[in-house]
Amino acid sequence: MTMVNSQAWDSLQPLWVMGSGQTDENQYIYNYGTKLMASYGNNGASMNAYVKGVARGLFKIQFKLGYTWGYSTFFMAEQSTVTMSSPNSGNYGSSGVNGLRFMNNNSNNVLFVDKNVNGTTSQILNTTGVNDTMISLWRDSSNVVKYKVGSSSTTTVGTFTDTFVFGATLQSPASVELIMAMNLAVTAS
């Protein structure tokens, strides 16, 4: 894995960085860097990207998956499994580490959540797709990772101490909008 510099994987921020995909005249990043979107036809031009920073301990990230024809995919992967220049949602399922992936679209009207525990992947949610719905994902002081989709119940994913990065892959038309991303402290400093 190649690191651009020590600043590249710093504290979490709600910004898309290190995009890969098309090198063309189309726009893919909107809302001052918080929304990644491809709207260039079914299976058209698109882009993948990472959220700026890493989650080494407690974190909270909130996002909205697009509800369009293509899959809007958000993933959490162990930092050691990713290549900065090539965001790939498949990294969530790497062997020997832990991860999580959310996939949503309206053509199949589905929201999938898949988790990986030490290389064994399983689907933990298969439900109706969501539109304009906040998804919260966090790790608490006991290293327990949890998520909540809209007003649904909180789901416990597992106890993970990994250093995580977050990213998105899009199948046009699709989008992922970041609402919040931050590392948390147990107590105020």
Side-chain angles (χ1 to χ4, degrees):
M1 174 173 59
T2 304
M3 297 292 178
V4 173
N5 62 44
S6 61
Q7 297 296 324
W9 295 115
D10 203 0
S11 188
L12 284 174
Q13 296 178 36
L15 294 171
W16 292 109
V17 296
M18 297 306 297
S20 72
Q22 303 298 317
T23 52
D24 56 29
E25 75 283 358
N26 295 326
Q27 181 177 353
Y28 299 99
I29 305 227
Y30 296 81
N31 299 352
Y32 302 99
T34 62
K35 187 171 188 175
L36 182 67
M37 184 169 69
S39 57
Y40 303 105
N42 293 357
N43 289 319
S46 65
M47 179 170 279
N48 304 327
Y50 286 115
V51 175
K52 182 170 177 48
V54 296
R56 289 184 179 88
L58 285 70
F59 69 84
K60 184 173 184 180
I61 189 162
Q62 294 178 310
F63 57 95
K64 292 182 179 181
L65 296 171
Y67 186 64
T68 52
W69 181 88
Y71 276 104
S72 299
T73 302
F74 183 87
F75 65 93
M76 175 179 83
E78 163 60 46
Q79 180 186 10
S80 66
T81 68
V82 303
T83 302
M84 285 185 68
S85 62
S86 182
N88 181 339
S89 67
N91 290 119
Y92 93 96
S94 294
S95 180
V97 295
N98 305 300
L100 195 62
R101 177 177 66 184
F102 298 81
M103 298 175 69
N104 188 58
N105 79 10
N106 76 358
S107 60
N108 300 324
N109 195 29
V110 293
L111 169 63
F112 298 132
V113 180
D114 302 311
K115 77 173 180 177
N116 173 45
V117 178
N118 292 319
T120 301
T121 59
S122 60
Q123 192 167 82
I124 58 176
L125 182 66
N126 180 341
T127 191
T128 303
V130 296
N131 186 22
D132 196 34
T133 301
M134 176 94 68
I135 298 173
S136 298
L137 173 64
W138 68 95
R139 178 163 48 196
D140 68 19
S141 59
S142 298
N143 289 319
V144 176
V145 174
K146 302 176 182 182
Y147 75 87
K148 184 174 182 171
V149 179
S151 61
S152 68
S153 298
T154 298
T155 299
T156 298
V157 179
T159 302
F160 302 146
T161 59
D162 305 67
T163 298
F164 289 117
V165 298
F166 304 92
T169 58
L170 304 180
Q171 177 191 17
S172 184
S175 66
V176 179
E177 181 178 11
L178 297 170
I179 306 302
M180 180 185 114
M182 64 188 304
N183 295 336
L184 303 170
V186 176
T187 58
S189 53

